[in-house]
Amino acid sequence: MIDIVDEIVLPGLSLSEFNSGLSEEVWTLLQFFPYTWRYRLYGHWKFGNTMRHPEVNIVRGKVLGRTKYVLKRLSKETVRVMGRQLGKLCHVHPITVFDYLLSQVQTFDNLIQPVVESLKFLTNLEFDILTYCIIEQLASPDKQQLKASDGKLSPWLQALATLVGAVYKKYNVELAGMLNYVMNQTKRVIQNMACIEGVAGATADQLEALGGGELLRQEAGSFTNARNKRASARLRDAVLAGDIAVGLCILIAQQRECVVYRESSRLPLKLVGEMVDQVRVLLFFNNTGMLQGMLNKLLCPATYSLLILGAR
């Protein structure tokens, strides 16, 4: 079945004429595959199929040229018209569209909001491919995630993380692949979807609120993020699947020890301190942290105790 999808179905989708219905039909099959299998298929679609099927390579070139044309004209005022055009192009060869789109977003962060709004015309398959493309960008070995000058996040990573949080908050996208990547790499998706923030630069009122009860602490951590119950519920369901929540807590706790005792000898002292602070904010701050605060917020006390305390 995998070979049939790889050799016939996905290349055939690229040769169809803007068929969103066909894309949804393909997703009804692929949704039953593990995300690792799906991402392998997408990788073959991007690299292998263009070599084995010259027609697909020709289509890819046409889609790339049209994507550049559409994206130059994308703005808040033209979201609906240009979004439809992007959607049609994604029905043919979504990986080509997303690769170029993500490269532009990382360079011009003012494109983030129009791009997020324009994605409303995508199918479930294309949203899944978007996640694959985002992870591919995040994991690229050619990009520096931290600036060498001050150890802060690179602008491209900040822009991409903002896009990820906005997309996952607005649309019903499968989270398994991204959360498994997050479990090994980063935190910002959880922060944006769960409305749990760190307290760097907190006001006096926020600090005072953090000394109160659970409800008051939750409110203190959500002053700037609008609540989105549907996004929070989807995040809860995703982190509970496959013990991802426990794995996140364990790996983040281990990261602190790794930074202090293994990496500190080769990294600048300022960078080591900032990394340790990030881990503390994410996991340990105020005995709950962003991650545990999110779990406290989304789970009932009995489920939280069974999940977290039972793993100790």
Side-chain angles (χ1 to χ4, degrees), residues 63-81:
V63 168
L64 178 59
R66 185 63 184 175
T67 300
K68 292 180 179 180
Y69 174 87
V70 171
L71 208 58
K72 286 180 181 178
R73 290 154 180 80
L74 180 64
S75 64
K76 292 182 179 180
E77 292 74 23
T78 62
V79 162
R80 180 170 292 275
V81 176

Side-chain angles (χ1 to χ4, degrees), residues 107-290:
T107 305
F108 308 104
D109 57 4
N110 61 320
L111 276 176
I112 292 176
Q113 192 58 39
V115 164
V116 171
E117 294 297 327
S118 69
L119 297 180
K120 67 178 70 175
F121 301 102
L122 300 187
T123 64
N124 289 317
L125 173 64
E126 290 147 15
F127 274 121
D128 195 52
I129 294 173
L130 175 60
T131 298
Y132 162 78
C133 292
I134 290 172
I135 293 175
E136 188 179 49
Q137 293 284 331
L138 290 171
S140 174
D142 300 327
K143 296 181 177 180
Q144 294 293 330
Q145 296 187 352
L146 299 176
K147 293 189 290 186
S149 58
D150 55 9
K152 296 185 180 297
L153 291 177
S154 297
W156 73 266
L157 182 57
Q158 295 184 39
L160 196 58
T162 302
L163 175 71
V164 171
V167 169
Y168 281 22
K169 186 174 182 178
K170 185 176 180 64
Y171 301 107
N172 186 15
V173 185
E174 182 172 318
L175 295 169
M178 178 58 71
L179 282 177
N180 275 277
Y181 179 79
V182 169
M183 188 165 63
N184 296 299
Q185 299 290 332
T186 189
K187 72 175 185 180
R188 197 175 290 258
V189 175
I190 294 176
Q191 175 178 336
N192 279 292
M193 291 189 67
C195 301
I196 300 290
E197 296 182 347
V199 292
T203 65
D205 290 339
Q206 286 177 307
L207 292 176
E208 185 176 357
L210 288 173
E214 179 181 349
L215 179 60
L216 193 57
R217 290 201 305 270
Q218 289 178 0
E219 293 299 326
S222 304
F223 281 161
T224 60
N225 277 350
R227 294 188 179 277
N228 188 317
K229 293 184 178 179
R230 288 192 301 173
S232 297
R234 287 192 289 111
L235 181 61
R236 177 198 61 207
D237 295 340
V239 298
L240 289 179
D243 292 330
I244 291 178
V246 175
L248 276 171
C249 292
I250 293 173
L251 288 173
I252 293 170
Q254 290 176 339
Q255 181 66 24
R256 179 173 179 267
E257 304 301 315
C258 180
V259 170
V260 173
Y261 295 108
R262 295 186 183 180
E263 304 296 331
S264 58
S265 60
R266 66 179 186 86
L267 295 176
L269 182 60
K270 179 180 178 180
L271 177 57
V272 172
E274 288 188 0
M275 293 173 70
V276 172
D277 288 342
Q278 288 291 327
V279 173
R280 292 184 62 190
V281 168
L282 182 58
L283 188 61
F284 298 110
F285 181 81
N286 202 31
N287 295 322
T288 57
M290 288 173 57

